[in-house]
Amino acid sequence: MKTIASYDVKYVQILDPDGNVNGPLPAFANDQDELMRLYRMMVLTRQFDTKAINLQRTGKLGTYASCLGHEAAHVGIGSAMEAEDVFAPMYREYGAQLWRGVKMSEVLQYWGGDERGNDFSGPRHDFPWCVPIATQCLHAAGAAMAFKLRREPRCAVAVIGDGGTSEGAFYEAMNLAGAQKLPVVFVVVNNKWAISVPIELQTAARTLAQKAFAAGIPGIQVDGNDVFAVREALGQALSRARRGEGASLVEAVTYRLSDHTTADDASRYRPPEEVEQAWKLEPLKRYRKFLENEGLLDESAEKAISEQCTREIESEVAVYLDTPMPTVDSMFDYMYETPPHSLVEQREYAKRYDRGESGGH
Ligand SMILES: Cc1ncc(C[n+]2csc(CCOP(=O)(O)OP(=O)(O)O)c2C)c(N)n1
């Protein structure tokens, strides 16, 4: 018997959990302003996350999916993409989206039950949040197919969770991307839990990166708490796609430090020791350490950044709270050009109970 194919899964980590450099630094690390931009966006994302949870707890937001612990993965993705690329997110990639120009007030609007938040004023061509898990991979593959047909040097990036990789849509999208050599990158943010389902129950595969090989595309695993590793791996996958060499999969290994959403209580299924251990690996601490070691960050600079982020968040929250509520019609407006009879009836029914409030959220 002979081996006719074999595959290796490579792992990339550039910054270790203590902030030490343990791999060659990527070229963008020579740009101090860029290093600080990455830090600022990670801080902004974390502070925004805390604020959004507080808004939910005080009844000002419907529900909210936290991104606590995912800052490096998300900011790494956003910073590696070009503005003209297309992002197909799931529902918690705020770090990538804020980098791309989505407004915090839009994120809040969406989670406040106002679909107008999905209509980003920034990256007009990005896809809206996608709650049916894995379908965004097909949207990204479709967009990539269009770029290829139109010979545009653009790429699509889809983000999916570990749980989402059990869905058919994920395999279908990768298969199409492999067969058609599409300019798309699938990023699996493996945060170890799909609500209460741990990764060990989700799959018998040793890595999620290896799922790429069956589709004929490269797969790589990176430390998802290391912003350098994520950005570098994404950058390489995007360059490859732009050169016409096709799709890739990047598995970013991280941990969900929060509840799945504000409607979840992770303490009911997750061992506290595991969470405690995960906090030791969290992304901001290690990046802060790196910047301090480089002489780029000290206590006063950190305080200034934090205060600036707080001001920015407060002003975005004010925009959100002052936004007049959508009309009842709005949830029916964009479904069909000619709505079916059942929806016309539902619209009339809903309007009967419209309290006509317009005072904001
Ligand atoms: C097609 C589909 N099935 C089930 C659900 C319900 N659901 C919402 S989130 C979720 C778990 C997703 O876990 P994972 O893909 O690991 O992403 P994470 O939320 O952990 O980032 C499930 C099953 C859904 N939204 N869509």
Side-chain angles (χ1 to χ4, degrees):
M1 200 162 42
K2 59 183 181 183
T3 303
I4 57 161
S6 59
Y7 303 91
D8 289 325
V9 179
K10 298 273 188 291
Y11 177 79
V12 184
Q13 182 192 62
I14 297 171
L15 272 191
D16 78 9
D18 297 320
N20 301 314
V21 178
N22 70 5
L25 276 177
F28 65 80
N30 291 322
D31 181 346
Q32 297 191 347
D33 289 343
E34 192 65 2
L35 293 180
M36 293 309 289
R37 253 182 98 198
L38 291 169
Y39 180 66
R40 211 189 146 277
M41 195 50 87
M42 285 167 70
V43 171
L44 184 72
T45 305
R46 178 155 306 181
Q47 286 186 199
F48 169 72
D49 199 68
T50 307
K51 183 71 191 184
I53 290 172
N54 290 343
L55 286 169
Q56 193 280 333
R57 297 292 186 237
T58 49
K60 296 197 169 81
L61 212 54
T63 185
Y64 174 76
S66 164
C67 65
L68 184 65
H70 297 55
E71 297 87 353
H74 294 167
V75 172
I77 294 166
S79 62
M81 292 178 68
E82 299 289 341
E84 64 271 21
D85 292 338
V86 160
F87 189 47
M90 34 194 278
Y91 39 72
R92 63 170 102 244
E93 288 75 35
Y94 320 116
Q97 294 181 301
L98 299 183
W99 187 288
R100 288 183 63 67
V102 172
K103 294 193 173 131
M104 290 180 272
S105 52
E106 290 169 336
V107 179
L108 295 173
Q109 251 179 303
Y110 172 74
W111 288 111
D114 185 343
E115 290 289 344
R116 291 175 299 181
N118 253 324
D119 188 12
F120 311 135
S121 54
R124 298 288 303 158
H125 49 265
D126 281 5
F127 284 97
W129 289 288
C130 195
V131 172
I133 53 177
T135 47
Q136 71 277 14
C137 295
L138 289 167
H139 305 158
M145 178 82 106
F147 299 153
K148 189 180 168 188
L149 291 172
R150 295 183 197 150
R151 297 179 197 283
E152 293 174 355
R154 304 164 72 188
C155 301
V157 174
V159 175
I160 183 164
D162 39 289
T165 64
S166 298
E167 288 279 349
F170 169 67
Y171 293 98
E172 290 163 27
M174 277 206 300
N175 187 63
L176 178 73
Q180 298 283 331
K181 273 202 169 181
L182 300 181
V184 55
V185 181
F186 302 104
V187 186
V188 179
V189 175
N190 175 1
N191 67 10
K192 311 276 175 58
W193 289 87
I195 315 185
S196 56
V197 178
I199 184 75
E200 301 78 37
L201 291 183
Q202 192 70 246
T203 180
R206 166 81 179 75
T207 69
L208 298 172
Q210 74 203 55
K211 297 195 173 196
F213 303 145
I217 66 176
I220 191 167
Q221 193 183 70
V222 304
D223 184 333
N225 292 339
D226 170 3
V227 69
F228 284 168
V230 177
R231 177 163 167 165
E232 180 62 1
L234 252 288
Q236 298 215 3
L238 287 166
S239 304
R240 183 175 177 279
R242 263 186 256 284
R243 287 195 303 269
E245 292 167 28
S248 306
L249 183 152
V250 176
E251 176 188 0
V253 181
T254 180
Y255 193 85
R256 165 161 62 76
L257 290 167
S258 50
D259 295 325
H260 172 73
T261 64
T262 47
D264 173 47
D265 175 6
S267 71
R268 293 178 62 184
Y269 53 81
R270 209 161 61 171
E273 316 77 68
E274 185 183 293
V275 184
E276 200 180 309
Q277 184 55 31
W279 269 105
K280 295 189 180 136
L281 306 175
E282 71 96 359
L284 260 151
K285 196 176 67 183
R286 79 172 71 177
Y287 192 47
R288 194 176 291 132
K289 211 55 195 260
F290 165 79
L291 293 176
E292 284 168 6
N293 292 343
E294 293 290 303
L296 293 173
L297 193 67
D298 58 19
E299 225 171 277
S300 76
E302 204 174 302
K303 191 161 169 269
I305 291 171
S306 168
E307 286 172 359
Q308 199 205 349
C309 289
T310 305
R311 279 196 299 275
E312 219 175 297
I313 292 165
E314 289 305 333
S315 115
E316 285 286 306
V317 169
V319 170
Y320 160 65
L321 293 174
D322 289 345
T323 306
M325 294 287 250
T327 62
V328 163
D329 282 309
S330 70
M331 78 173 116
F332 299 94
D333 276 349
Y334 309 104
M335 302 268 279
Y336 295 94
E337 179 154 357
T338 313
H341 182 67
S342 57
L343 280 185
V344 174
E345 260 186 4
Q346 283 180 39
R347 181 199 286 251
E348 290 313 313
Y349 188 76
K351 279 170 81 162
R352 244 185 282 155
Y353 293 92
D354 182 7
R355 284 176 289 164
E357 288 168 346
S358 60
H361 291 84

